[in-house]
Structures are given as structure tokens and as C-alpha cells.
Amino acid sequence: MRVRIALTVNDEAREALAPVHKTLLEVLREDLGLTGTKHGCELGECGTCTVLVDGEPVLSCLVLPVEVEGRRITTVEGMAEGGRLHPLQQAFAELGAAQCGYCTPGILLTATALLAEHPSPTRREVKEALAGNLCRCTGYTKILDAVELAALRMGNRESRA
Amino acid sequence: MSKNDFAVIGQPLPKIDAWAKVVGETKYADDLFLPRMAYGRLLRSAHAHARIRSIDTTRARALPGVYAVVTGADLPRVKFGILPVSQDEEALCNDKVRMVGDPIAAVAAVDEETAERACRLIDVDYEPLPALMSIFDSLAHPEVRIHDYGDGPNVHKNVALQFGNVEGAFERADLVREDVFFFEGNNHLPMEQHAAVAQWGADGKVTLWSSTQTPHYVHRLLAKTLDVPAAHVRVVATPVGGGFGGKTDPFAHEIVACQLSKLTGRPVKIALTREEVFYTHRGRHPVLMWIKTGFTKQGDITGCHLRTWLDGGAYGSYGVASTFYTGVINPVTYKIPVYKFEGARIFTNKPPCGPKRGHGTPQPRFALECQLDKAAEQLGLDPAAMRRRIVAEPFTKTANHLTVTTIGLGECIDKVVEASGWRDKRARFGVTAKRPRPASPRKRGVGMACSAYLTGAGTAIYWNDMPHSGVIARADRSGGVAVLCGATDIGQGSDSVLAYVTAEVLGIDPKDVHVHPADTSLTPVDLGSYSSRVTLMCGMAAIQAAERLRAAIFTAVAKKLEVSPASLVARDRKVGVPDDWDKAVPFARAVELGEALHGVLAFPGSYAPPKRAGKFKGGGVGPSPCYSYSACVVELSVDEQTGQVDLEDVWIAHDVGRALNPLLVEGQVEGSVYMGIGEALMEEQVFRKNLHKHPSMLDYKSPTTLETPEIHTILVETDDPEGPFGAKEAGQGPLLPVIPAIANAIHHALGIRIDEVPITPDKVLKALEDKRLGRPGRVGPQKLPLLTFKEPLVVESAFGQPADAIVTRPFSS
């Protein structure tokens, strides 16, 4: 049975007509054209499909759209503001933290949630926050470095402001 | 040339595709949605070994939303496989299935769910056959045949090569060790599941977009399996979301998507589930190994004899090459004057194994490096110093006729010994430590191992005299340069390397270079992203193309400035005479001058490796333009009560020839170390009741951020004459030493030997228990298969002979 789904994605009101059992991951990718969100298992195991719901990291393959109607959904496409990259995106590009890039959107969003809560996390805290996001290319090293660099830059920017 | 002479090479620049990847713009195969697109699913075998009596698709066809159903009867009756000698796969099985997961039929439907439901409505009548699930099963039951070809009942390949008199070498030795090891199979586990979209046009031409590492080979095999002229097939490799060797074969879903598109008149997408990826496999071969090596008191090797038994799974895949690779690369690392290798690949009713990062070489590397550690202990030598002493000589040949150029291994060993505090920790930690051991159940240890790996296979998969890699560089009047190359970026950064070397030669910014990769209709052939060949081969081709373009531009600018072309340089987006730089012409203007003089400025570059294959059967596997080297020290702690191994730090030094971009090279090294850790401690592709024991990312354990230690990467540069700007490979070699270094560190910590991977806590506890009971504290294989190897092909050892001069390569002028 198809139902009308109304979602707020990246501060835009979006609508789709989709079977009620279709996951948020599928609706984002297939009905809303937001293919920046990837899938690695579709069973909630790899973290690749992570999006933010009201700022909290959520595995979009385990969520039904009806559960998140009226809540604020952020995908990787919503991270840059007005053409300016989020400091995490900038740091990931500069430091080579994205190799194949497939796990990158999910990791960026998980890290966004971490830095919102802990603006200057220790390396251990970054590791713990990202423990649910698998990456097969990088050995995580450059990812951890990039999160730390972004945190540093964001901290500097705030302290200047 | 020193580093300072380069503008782009050696700089830690972002990858050219990094920006698209961090904003989610990159379109992987499953991100393609075409108008009217149908969704395909494959029906896969539920039996490990069975005859197919009949297939009835009536009920599936009747399901609303189904556009087409196909079986093997709808496809040309032709077998395929990546290697010309192993054409043993069918896109859809006709008479027989050889493993759970073998594709039998396929459906195209309005959506994936309908396609899946239709697959369940296909009735297959199977006649089950005995399933052979191990090397021992397959050899014990010659009356059950998985294939009717090969080197014996269920033996896919049986090889034996001997270089010099090994028995004589053992007689001369002060110590001869025989050891047995086992390396379990494992999966690549790329984050992106395989996906492909096919569009069969009304003009009778077909385009396939696929997450493949080898579009050229897919192109050739689509033509064969679909019975369509190759000239009417176009394969585009989409950016690959992780390959590691798992996307180097042509696959059933690629062929079937094309056929379904032809039948439905719609684009068709087939995206595999994670479970299907585990069954599609082509991952690390499980290998049993017996290795016998003679040593002098000083630690020199007098000779080595290696036997390997590979569990190949149900199909050939790259298996013939994998079999040779278990034998041919070890001699590249150390002085091994005489060498004998016997290997056999056995068919079993499991998903086929193939190439995974290191292709066939991590297994014998594990065996050799653990054995060296044991020998050093017996001889009372420091394992690092012993290895340092026996490092092979640069610019010589190995016993098995491989030509080695630069070797930075000695420096690599020195650097990791220094950085890790090796000597101090060897003395301070471990069972033999002089000081009282800590009372805590956690015991620390450090271990070391080294390795070497090829920088590109010296021969193509099908024998031919054409380039292995080609590039077209086309200058635009805007000052931009388009680079067309068949290379496939799988995350390693091949697109970026093409931009860097082109920009370096032409004196422009990498951002001015527009890379168009991996489209068989547009780009010159590159054989694919495998065997660590891309940076070297595409890099050399790109340099040649860019140099030809530069020469054309220089003749035009020289005319204009009334100077000789030889006096010109290209840098900072200008072309001019260094001493008269004010008159230098902007690059865009230089292109206009060039185009006015010559017409369109488009130049090809071609590369083929030097022809150095040994003049004996089997000599084609192993030669490479040059070899990378790595040395690794691991520090870890093991809990004696739980058997849990925790890695603390990994130091790795890698001889990369020259780091074209140190950031990317470090990324390759770190990723290799990480993947080695997974294989050493947890990853295993194993089966229970003919089924994969854990075909999911939760149950198939792989390291997370928490299991991955700090990785300290040291790059060593040797400026190899064979590589582009001196570069060698970085993407595979650094995986190899990590696994034996971990095993050796565990021995240092606890005095136990775990002679098989993965080294799981139960094995550690078992070895500790045995040790407590006064038995050898060892866990490892207890028996070897009964299989008669071929009479060896005896060839004289070429050990120590000088390398052939850096010969003129094909296409180099």
C-alpha cells in the first residue's frame, strides 16, 4: 500500500508516495533522489546509511519514514551551507580521509553529531563515536585525523566569534 | 631529480575527486536511476552441488509487475571466466550448480521487491550431488567431479618448479626447519555491494555501467557471453566503492542485466545484497602450506622448498595465477640461492576464491616470516638483525628468474627498528625477559616481519603485444587538458595520479586537468585496477602523452619567441625560457599557438612492461617492472585468561620508490595495515552445512575504529628507474608483513606459536593450555593432503645474476 510521506530533509519540505514499509534509506535515495546516503548491508550493521534525525545519528535502513515525519532529517547533501563546505567535509577532503568515499557520508554525519555534543573530543572519544561506522579503505587513521582537525578549526572559529 | 625540482609530485594534495565524495555527489553504480528502469534479481542455488533436472518459470512470469524472466536457455550456450585457461562459469547455470549461490535464473520487474517475489516463484527441480566442502573431501572423492577439466580429479591446477638443487642446499645448512601453516580464506568486504545498470539501445548497442575494477575484461566477456560484436558493447566503470580485488572478475549479474535489458527494452539495474557479495566472493584463498628452509648459523638461507594447497572453491576465477603467486614472490625479499615450489589448487563446492589485496602472496609470506622468527630464536639471533643481513641484492635476479631493481628493505628495517624502540622492547617484554614479568594477565610483546610485492603484473591476462595502459592527452584552448584513460578509480586515487603527472609535465595545476576514466568507447585500454599496476603503468603512459603534447607546444612557442624548443620549460601555467621568463607565454596561449601550427593537440601515450618473463613454462607469473618492500613491527598485549589480543601500535616502513603524493601513499599503507589486522585476528570466510557461516557484516567480524591501533607510517624512497618519477606500488604490499608480525609478537609475549590465521582467542587459550601441560604451545594444522605433485620443471637458479639492463620498453619511443 502506498502512502503519502511528508518529510523535512535538509530544511526542505519534501513529499513522496511510497509503500508504507519502504525504509527511510530507500525513500531518500529512490523517491527523493538523495543518493548521497549509501547502503552497505541494509541490516543496521555497517553505519554507512547514517543520517541525522533532530541532530542524532540514525541508521536510515532501520527507520520507516512514518516514524520521522515532522522531524528534522539531515543527509550529507545538507551539510554544506550556501556553497560553503562544513569544516568536516573540508578536512576530510584535505587529509585524504575519503578513499573510495562510500562510507564517507555516514561517517561525516556521525562526526557532525559528535562535534555538536563534544566540540573538542579526545581521540578515544572520536574512536568510540565512530565505532559503528565501518570503513575498509583508510584504516581509520586519516578519518580520525580529519575529525580532530575539523574540531580544532571549528573551536578556533567559535572562540574568535 | 630531487624532490625540490617538482611542482606537483611529492605534494600532499587532496584527491581531485575528494570534493565530490565529501558532498555526496559521486555517482556509484547503484546511484544511477534511468527513466523506465527495471530492477533485476538473480535466483541462486540453494544446493552446494546438484544437477538441475528442470526449471519452471511459469508462476514467476504470471506475477503482475514482472517484465521478463530468463534462464540459461535464453543466453548463448557459452562458458566464460577471467582467465582464458579457466572458462568454466555460466551466467545462469544450465545443467549443474556447484555451490550455494550459483545463479540459475533472473527476473526483471517493476521494483526489487516484485523481482525478489518472482524469483521465489521459480521452481527448480534439483538432483542433489555429494557436496565437497574441503580440500580433503575433494581429494578423497575423485568419483565426484565438480568440473570435468583440470590437472586431475577436482584438481584445478598442479604446478612444480625447481630452481637449483634444494636437497644439496639443505645438506649444507646448520639448521633445517620444516613447518606447516594454514591461512583461512576471507572476503574483501567492500563497503559498496556490486551493482550494474545495463541499457540495450534500440540501435542494438549495449551500455553497461558497473562497479568493476576491470572494464576492459568485462567488455571482452560481454561480447562473448551475449554473442554481440565487441564494437557494439560499451562498458563504463563507475567510481568503485571499494574493490580490493573483489570486483576484478566479470560477473553473472553484469551479463544478465544486459540480457534482461535486451528483452524488456528498458534499462535494468541489478544490485547485489550483502549476502550475495559473500557468495560471489573471489576472496582470499584458504591455503595450507609446508615450508622447509635451510639456514646457516649466521642466519643466511641456503635454500627453500615450499608446498601450497589452495582451496579454490567452485570455479577457476584467477586461480591459476593465484596458485603461482603463492610460490613466486617470496624469493624477491631475501637471498634464497635455490628454490623449489609445488602448488595445487583444489575445487570445492564453495564460492570461488580469487584475488584479494596481495593476491596469493600473504599466505606464503605468513609461512616464511613465522618460520624465520622460529629459526632466529633457535639460532639465538635477533629477528630484525637476521632479516637485515639476508635482504636481497638490488639489480639482481632471484633464483626463480625475477629481475629486481631497487630495494629499500634494509632502510625500512632500520627505520621501524628505530621508531618502535625494538631492541629495548624485545629485551623488556616477552617470556624471555630478564626482569620479573608483570603480575597482570596482560602480557606484552613485539614482533617483526617484512615483505615485497609486485608493481603490476608483467603480463596481461590474455597474451598480446599491445599496451597494458594507454592515455590520450588533449589540450584545450582554455588551457585545460583532458586526459582519457581506461583506468578505474577504486578509491586508491588513480584519477588523481593521472592529473598529477600530467600537470607536472605540462607545468599546469592539477585542477586544470580533466580526467575521463574507464569508458571502453572513449578511453584507451587500461587492463584494470589489479596487481598494483595502475600508478606505474598509467603514470608512464600519461607522462609519455603529456611529453608529446608538451613537445608540440614547445615547437610552436619556440617559433613565436624565436628560441630553440630545447631552451623552453613549462611551469606555473606558462611556457618560456627560464632566463627570459618575462616573455613566457601563458599556457592557454601556448596551446593556441600549438593548435595553429599542428592542428588539434591530442597525443597518445602507451605503456607495456619490459619483457622479462623467465623462459620456462610458468615464467609469466611473477615478473614485474619493480617491487615494493615493507618492514613492520607490531606491539601488542595478550590476555592470558581470555586469549584476547589487543594491538597497541604498528610501525610500518614502506619503500614506495617515490611518493607521488605522500598523503595518498600513507592512506594506502594505513588501509593495508588495517586489512592485514582484520585477516590476522578475526576475518574468516567459513562454512557450516554447506552454507556461509556468517554472510553479514555483523557476524563476519572486521576491525572497527576500536580494534585498529595507531599506525605509524614511514615512507622510504628509492627512486626506481622503472616507475613514473621513480614510483613503485603502495596499495597491497604493506598488508603482507602485518599478519606474521602479529603472530610473531604473540609468540614474543607468551611463548606460543599460532601457525594459522585468524588468531582467535580460542586458539591462544588452547596453545597456552598445551604449553602448561608440557606440550608444544602451538596451534596449527596437524595434517597435510595426500596429493602427488607434478614432476618439477627443473631450471637453473638465476640467483645473484645481474639484472638485465633497464631495457627499452615497448612503445617507449
Side-chain angles (χ1 to χ4, degrees):
Chain A
M1 191 189 68
R2 281 171 186 269
V3 293
R4 192 183 140 272
I5 297 160
L7 298 172
T8 306
V9 186
N10 302 330
D11 296 326
E12 291 174 22
R14 303 290 303 266
E15 282 190 15
L17 200 63
V20 69
H21 59 272
K22 218 169 167 177
T23 64
L24 177 61
L25 168 71
E26 292 166 326
V27 169
L28 287 171
R29 289 177 49 83
E30 297 166 17
D31 298 281
L32 303 183
L34 295 169
T35 54
T37 304
K38 308 299 180 199
H39 54 77
C41 65
E42 304 189 54
L43 293 166
E45 298 167 348
C46 69
T48 304
C49 67
T50 303
V51 299
L52 299 183
V53 174
D54 292 337
E56 287 291 316
V58 159
L59 300 172
S60 63
C61 72
L62 297 184
V63 172
L64 294 179
V66 290
E67 297 176 89
V68 291
E69 281 189 315
R71 298 172 68 184
R72 209 158 39 83
I73 299 162
T74 309
T75 70
V76 70
E77 290 92 342
M79 282 183 70
E81 278 179 41
R84 230 189 53 202
L85 295 187
H86 188 284
L88 278 163
Q89 293 173 309
Q90 185 72 28
F92 269 59
E94 284 177 18
L95 294 192
Q99 283 189 25
C100 84
Y102 198 81
C103 70
T104 306
I107 289 184
L108 283 170
L109 290 162
T110 308
T112 301
L114 168 72
L115 296 188
E117 204 168 323
H118 300 283
S120 40
T122 62
R123 199 162 176 95
R124 180 73 200 175
E125 284 169 337
V126 180
K127 280 189 169 191
E128 278 171 9
L130 295 180
N133 292 77
L134 295 180
C135 165
R136 291 291 281 176
C137 293
T138 61
Y140 303 107
T141 308
K142 300 263 184 273
I143 290 174
L144 302 176
D145 292 349
V147 174
E148 289 176 344
L149 177 64
L152 195 70
R153 286 177 176 169
M154 288 163 78
N156 288 346
R157 205 174 52 195
E158 267 159 38
S159 59
R160 271 205 308 273
Chain B
M1 232 176 164
S2 89
K3 240 182 218 172
N4 304 331
D5 297 329
F6 297 120
V8 179
I9 298 305
Q11 299 298 318
L13 301 172
K15 293 201 297 176
I16 61 169
D17 55 357
W19 311 103
K21 284 179 173 172
V22 298
V23 297
E25 263 175 23
T26 304
K27 293 282 181 206
Y28 301 85
D30 195 28
D31 297 335
L32 302 178
F33 291 89
L34 301 182
R36 300 178 63 251
M37 188 169 82
Y39 294 80
R41 291 285 297 154
L42 295 169
L43 172 70
R44 293 176 182 273
S45 169
H47 291 264
H49 200 190
R51 222 162 273 297
I52 300 172
R53 284 205 200 94
S54 65
I55 307 170
D56 185 351
T57 60
T58 317
R59 293 194 302 144
R61 285 174 201 279
L63 185 73
V66 169
Y67 298 135
V69 182
V70 288
T71 66
D74 302 301
L75 285 160
R77 196 69 186 255
V78 57
K79 291 194 174 186
F80 71 96
I82 183 70
L83 297 188
V85 294
S86 308
Q87 302 285 300
D88 60 4
E89 298 184 54
E90 293 174 294
L92 297 171
C93 298
N94 282 287
D95 305 320
K96 187 170 151 169
V97 289
R98 294 177 173 85
M99 58 176 225
V100 171
D102 244 347
I104 298 170
V107 176
V110 61
D111 54 31
E112 253 186 323
E113 205 180 328
T114 307
E116 173 70 34
R117 210 168 332 133
C119 280
R120 289 171 195 215
L121 295 174
I122 297 170
D123 299 301
V124 184
D125 184 13
Y126 296 100
E127 177 195 333
L129 300 168
L132 305 174
M133 297 301 285
S134 72
I135 289 176
F136 295 97
D137 279 356
S138 293
L139 294 176
H141 294 283
E143 76 286 2
V144 181
R145 293 290 292 267
I146 296 174
H147 286 282
D148 51 15
Y149 82 104
D151 286 346
N154 300 321
V155 178
H156 177 209
K157 189 70 190 170
N158 184 337
V159 298
L161 294 166
Q162 184 179 329
F163 306 93
N165 177 2
V166 281
E167 293 311 320
F170 296 144
E171 279 167 26
R172 283 195 303 280
D174 298 313
L175 167 69
V176 178
R177 282 202 64 97
E178 285 180 52
D179 291 289
V180 178
F181 297 92
F182 178 61
F183 199 113
E184 185 56 273
N186 49 58
N187 188 258
H188 319 82
L189 203 75
M191 294 312 297
E192 176 207 32
Q193 303 101 317
H194 309 48
V197 177
Q199 186 163 35
W200 202 296
D203 57 2
K205 295 183 181 180
V206 60
T207 301
L208 181 79
W209 293 266
S210 184
S211 54
T212 176
Q213 299 176 240
T214 51
H216 173 62
Y217 296 138
V218 173
H219 182 194
R220 285 168 57 85
L221 285 160
L222 283 183
K224 178 182 178 182
T225 54
L226 297 167
D227 196 18
V228 58
H232 300 165
V233 176
R234 176 185 179 198
V235 177
V236 181
T238 46
V240 175
F244 316 113
K247 295 168 181 167
T248 42
D249 285 60
F251 290 111
H253 69 274
E254 296 173 314
I255 299 163
V256 169
C258 294
Q259 184 68 11
L260 287 171
S261 178
K262 185 181 182 181
L263 291 175
T264 59
R266 293 170 180 270
V268 173
K269 177 193 283 185
I270 301 183
L272 304 190
T273 64
R274 178 55 59 184
E275 186 179 24
E276 286 180 289
V277 174
F278 279 106
Y279 279 100
T280 301
H281 196 45
R282 322 285 159 151
R284 183 84 68 224
H285 281 79
V287 184
L288 258 167
M289 293 162 283
W290 170 89
I291 181 168
K292 180 176 180 182
T293 308
F295 299 90
T296 65
K297 280 182 194 143
Q298 294 76 29
D300 294 334
I301 293 174
T302 63
C304 179
H305 181 184
L306 172 71
R307 290 184 176 134
T308 64
W309 295 265
L310 294 79
D311 181 345
Y315 293 99
S317 182
Y318 283 81
V320 170
S322 318
T323 308
F324 277 104
Y325 276 129
T326 63
V328 297
I329 299 298
N330 272 357
V332 165
T333 323
Y334 305 116
K335 294 183 194 112
I336 302 179
V338 292
Y339 184 62
K340 183 175 177 182
F341 162 60
E342 296 165 298
R345 184 177 190 261
I346 320 298
F347 285 125
T348 53
N349 291 116
K350 296 187 283 193
C353 300
K356 183 187 172 191
R357 204 171 201 168
H359 193 188
T361 71
Q363 301 96 327
R365 176 59 54 187
F366 173 67
L368 176 62
E369 296 292 330
C370 291
Q371 188 179 54
L372 285 181
D373 205 66
K374 295 179 188 193
E377 188 184 15
Q378 258 179 298
L379 294 167
L381 300 171
D382 172 68
M386 175 176 159
R387 285 177 171 84
R388 185 71 174 84
R389 177 186 166 89
I390 61 174
V391 168
E393 282 293 322
F395 296 97
T396 62
K397 290 188 188 177
T398 65
N400 58 332
H401 296 242
L402 302 180
T403 296
V404 180
T405 54
T406 56
I407 301 179
L409 183 55
E411 192 181 341
C412 288
I413 294 172
D414 293 345
K415 293 229 155 126
V416 288
V417 161
E418 176 70 28
S420 65
W422 167 262
R423 289 187 195 94
D424 170 56
K425 285 173 182 167
R426 280 300 281 193
R428 207 148 46 83
F429 305 154
V431 276
T432 54
K434 308 266 187 304
R435 307 171 179 210
R437 306 200 72 208
S440 142
R442 300 211 67 86
K443 300 290 184 278
R444 287 176 100 84
V446 286
M448 128 150 327
C450 301
S451 69
Y453 197 69
L454 58 161
T455 307
T459 47
I461 276 171
Y462 62 103
W463 286 93
N464 69 79
D465 288 324
M466 294 178 279
H468 289 216
S469 197
V471 162
I472 293 172
R474 183 192 62 85
D476 184 88
R477 294 175 194 179
S478 67
V481 174
V483 170
L484 282 67
C485 177
T488 308
D489 201 315
I490 60 174
Q492 85 282 42
S494 60
D495 287 2
S496 300
V497 166
L498 285 165
Y500 302 149
V501 299
T502 303
E504 181 67 47
V505 172
L506 295 171
I508 56 178
D509 191 282
K511 203 172 175 179
D512 305 337
V513 181
H514 313 293
V515 178
H516 299 271
D519 179 334
T520 60
S521 291
L522 295 175
T523 55
V525 165
D526 173 74
L527 293 178
S529 286
Y530 64 91
S531 86
S532 274
R533 51 176 299 288
V534 181
T535 291
L536 186 137
M537 299 199 194
C538 293
M540 295 297 280
I543 288 172
Q544 189 184 56
E547 284 180 346
R548 286 172 172 169
L549 170 59
R550 188 179 62 186
I553 290 171
F554 276 12
T555 52
V557 173
K559 241 178 152 173
K560 163 92 177 163
L561 297 181
E562 297 176 331
V563 297
S564 98
S567 66
L568 293 171
V569 298
R571 63 165 200 243
D572 304 328
R573 290 186 174 127
K574 286 182 183 164
V575 175
V577 180
D579 294 339
D580 198 7
W581 198 246
D582 287 350
K583 291 205 187 106
V585 177
F587 186 76
R589 178 68 189 138
V591 170
E592 289 180 344
L593 293 169
E595 204 173 323
L597 184 67
H598 304 283
V600 171
L601 295 179
F603 292 89
S606 303
Y607 177 83
K611 294 195 172 180
R612 290 184 184 142
K615 307 263 181 297
F616 54 88
K617 197 166 187 290
V621 185
S624 175
C626 51
Y627 300 85
S628 77
Y629 290 84
S630 314
C632 177
V633 169
V634 168
E635 180 175 342
L636 50 73
S637 64
V638 198
D639 189 316
E640 282 182 315
Q641 287 167 2
T642 64
Q644 177 70 34
V645 176
D646 284 329
L647 300 185
E648 311 286 344
D649 286 276
V650 175
W651 293 267
I652 184 153
H654 181 68
D655 164 20
V656 66
R658 183 187 301 279
L660 299 184
N661 177 337
L663 203 60
L664 270 59
V665 176
E666 284 167 18
Q668 289 303 302
V669 174
E670 288 155 3
S672 295
V673 169
Y674 151 87
M675 202 164 268
I677 290 167
E679 298 194 26
L681 295 180
M682 59 192 89
E683 296 186 34
E684 47 184 348
Q685 169 113 343
V686 287
F687 294 79
R688 179 169 50 199
K689 293 182 180 168
N690 304 348
L691 295 175
H692 197 298
K693 212 167 161 184
H694 36 230
S696 77
M697 290 178 116
L698 185 65
D699 295 320
Y700 180 94
K701 298 297 178 200
S702 65
T704 71
T705 49
L706 299 176
E707 287 81 34
T708 308
E710 292 299 316
I711 301 165
H712 311 277
T713 303
I714 301 159
L715 302 183
V716 168
E717 297 195 322
T718 45
D719 196 8
D720 196 278
E722 293 287 349
F725 299 104
K728 306 197 273 191
E729 78 89 37
Q732 307 195 63
L735 178 147
L736 308 179
V738 178
I739 302 157
I742 289 172
N744 293 340
I746 290 170
H747 174 260
H748 184 231
L750 296 177
I752 56 170
R753 290 286 179 189
I754 312 296
D755 288 340
E756 64 176 60
V757 291
I759 302 172
T760 46
D762 55 308
K763 293 176 190 169
V764 172
L765 292 179
K766 168 85 168 54
L768 280 172
E769 178 63 13
D770 281 3
K771 198 179 155 207
R772 255 191 295 277
L773 297 172
R775 296 196 287 254
R778 171 188 180 263
V779 168
Q782 300 293 331
K783 58 174 179 173
L784 292 172
L786 288 173
L787 176 139
T788 311
F789 287 103
K790 256 188 182 160
E791 195 57 35
L793 179 67
V794 181
V795 184
E796 241 177 78
S797 168
F799 175 74
Q801 291 177 13
D804 301 324
I806 303 301
V807 287
T808 317
R809 284 179 288 265
F811 313 109
S812 61
S813 58

